[in-house]
């Protein structure tokens, strides 16, 4: 202890205190504060980045879920659309068939009508021709018959006889 | 490292290496050499160890005691003796001559400056202590130089580290090797001992004191042969700073725990108060002695083991002492960091006591 006190150098103590405090102040301003702040900022940055990554992961999961949902919806929709399309097609085909049938029927009827009228016209024509022919024949017969008196009379008689019968 | 102490003793070899270093020759060395001749190996070793662990007024790398030549450089001596007196330590010629400044005579004796008469007589008391007047000595000694160098080194390193952080979040340069240590001090010394809320205020001191002690301890192991942290004045200064910071940051709770310990019966409070008060002073005192004694002891033991070479003077003993010295140096390297760590840790612990908050009055 005696030696310790004897060894104690006030000058060295003075310089130590002075230099150390100076060093402390200088380092605090130019080194420790910037370093600790930078390290803190970096740690905050890392923390934030990790949180952001976690969020992104969650979001990603959400997005995946969403997209899956969307996909599912799309699939259902597609199926619905396909079904509808099929129905529409079927309906359309049925409608077409119906229409075609109606149209066909109509055409057939028309044709039939046409045929009928043609037939009638033809029959009428034939009738006319037959009538004309018959008149001609009758004319010729009558002319022939009327060429002689007896026959004329006879004819008149027959005719009269017919009328009577009527 | 081993070479350091080796050179201190192998003077002959070092004469050839000394060419690059500025050398000082003592004026009347022939007389002195004769006077030193009869000194035995044992005394010489003791003297060298003593000299090594003490502060010095000149920066000597090694010396040739036979020729009285010292290799190194002089440092300024600053005395306060009825006015400021500044002169170069070369005037002392390593304690071999008197320094005469403005009519006063000063003598360097066991690394201390004494005021003497013109003949340079030192008076002793019964216990062989010099009784001459000791002027207040503010000299830039070897230790002051080393503190200055360390301070400069720290400033360059850490302001560099700070600057490199300005450029981006990843440190570059030499300072980045110390970044993990800075973080370690923050996360494992300051935060657990002081508390998450209040640690920030003490960080500059803790970091400065840790690196200061560590670097100086390491310098103590270099061939420069300085022993700064093994000097009681230095550790005293460091301990007193910790003491002052602790007392000034002490909150109501801290003082209450010292003078009026809560949770104990009143008579006990009266008994505990002086004990606690004593503890306030013992804590920094222990800090001071611990660092001083550890570093001092390390230096003395290491030098003694190296000195074995000269004591035993045979190949086996010499070799063994070198091997021992090598491993001891490794241990000293560990001690250098450990003591810096302990000083910082305990400082943080004391600051923690000072700023601790007790939400509830628990029993002690």
């Amino acid at each position: 202890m005696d030696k310790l006190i004897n060894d104690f150098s006030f000058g060295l103590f003075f310089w130590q205190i002075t230099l150390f405090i100076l060093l402390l102040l200088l380092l605090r301003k130019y080194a420790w504060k910037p370093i600790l702040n930078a390290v803190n900022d970096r740690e905050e940055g890392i923390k934030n980045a990790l949180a952001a990554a976690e969020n992104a992961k969650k979001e990603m999961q959400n997005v995946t879920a969403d997209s899956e949902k969307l996909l599912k919806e799309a699939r259902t929709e597609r199926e619905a659309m396909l079904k509808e399309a099929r129905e529409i097609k079927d309906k359309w085909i049925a409608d077409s068939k119906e229409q075609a049938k109606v149209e066909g029927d109509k055409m057939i009827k028309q044709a039939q009508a046409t045929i009928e009228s043609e037939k009638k016209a033809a029959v009428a024509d034939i009738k006319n021709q037959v009538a004309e022919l018959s008149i001609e024949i009758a004319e010729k017969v009558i002319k022939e018959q009327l060429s002689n008196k007896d026959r004329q009379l006879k004819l008149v008689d027959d005719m009269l006889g017919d009328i009577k019968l009527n | 490292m081993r070479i350091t102490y080796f050179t201190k003793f192998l003077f002959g070899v070092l004469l050839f290496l000394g060419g690059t270093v500025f050398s000082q020759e003592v004026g009347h060395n022939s007389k002195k050499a004769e006077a030193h001749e009869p000194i035995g190996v044992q005394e010489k070793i003791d003297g060298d160890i003593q000299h090594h662990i003490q502060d010095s007024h000149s920066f000597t790398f090694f010396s040739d005691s036979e020729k009285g030549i010292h290799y190194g450089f002089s440092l300024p001596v600053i005395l306060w003796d009825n006015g400021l007196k500044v002169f170069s330590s070369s005037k002392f010629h390593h304690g071999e001559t008197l320094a005469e400044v403005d009519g006063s005579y000063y003598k360097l004796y066991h690394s201390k400056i004494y005021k003497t008469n013109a003949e340079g007589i030192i008076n002793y008391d019964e216990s062989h202590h010099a009784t001459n007047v000791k002027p207040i000595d503010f000299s830039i000694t070897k230790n002051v130089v080393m503190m200055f160098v360390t301070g400069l080194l720290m400033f360059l390193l850490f302001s560099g580290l700070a600057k490199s952080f300005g450029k981006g979040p990843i440190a570059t340069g030499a300072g980045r090797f110390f970044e993990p240590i800075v973080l370690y001090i923050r996360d494992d010394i300051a935060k657990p001992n002081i508390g998450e809320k209040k640690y920030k205020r003490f960080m500059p001191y803790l970091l400065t004191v840790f690196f200061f002690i560590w670097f100086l301890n390491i310098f103590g192991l270099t061939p420069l042969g300085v022993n700064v942290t093994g000097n009681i004045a230095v550790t005293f200064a460091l301990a007193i700073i910790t003491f002052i910071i602790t007392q000034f940051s002490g909150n109501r709770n801290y003082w209450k725990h010292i003078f009026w310990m809560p949770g104990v019966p009143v008579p006990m409070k009266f008994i505990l108060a002086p004990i606690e008060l004593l503890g306030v002073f013992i804590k920094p005192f222990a800090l001071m002695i611990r660092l001083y004694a550890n570093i001092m002891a390390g230096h003395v033991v290491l030098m003694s083991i190296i000195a074995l070479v000269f004591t035993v003077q045979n190949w086996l003993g010499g070799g063994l002492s070198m091997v021992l010295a090598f491993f001891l140096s490794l241990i000293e390297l560990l001690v250098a960091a450990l003591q810096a760590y302990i000083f910082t840790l305990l400082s943080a612990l004391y600051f923690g006591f000072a700023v601790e908050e007790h939400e509830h009055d628990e029993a002690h």
Side-chain angles (χ1 to χ4, degrees), chain A residues 70-84:
Chain A
L70 270 177
L71 206 64
K72 219 172 175 182
E73 270 172 23
R75 209 169 281 141
T76 5
E77 203 161 327
R78 193 192 64 179
E79 264 161 29
M81 275 167 84
L82 277 175
K83 204 174 152 198
E84 205 174 339

Side-chain angles (χ1 to χ4, degrees), chain B residues 6 11 21 28-29 56 124 153 175 196 223 262 268 275 292 319 329:
Chain B
F6 210 49
F11 306 110
V21 188
H28 18 261
N29 53 8
S56 166
Y124 303 101
L153 181 73
E196 197 77 40
M268 277 304 282
I275 296 172
Y292 162 77
S329 298

Side-chain angles (χ1 to χ4, degrees), chain A residues 4 11 15-16 32 42-43, chain B residues 137-138 147 169 179 186 208:
Chain A
L4 273 188
W15 282 111
Q16 162 67 13
W32 304 135
R42 190 178 61 189
E43 277 164 5
Chain B
D137 183 2
F138 291 112
M147 289 189 304
E179 190 208 311
R186 189 194 62 174
T208 312

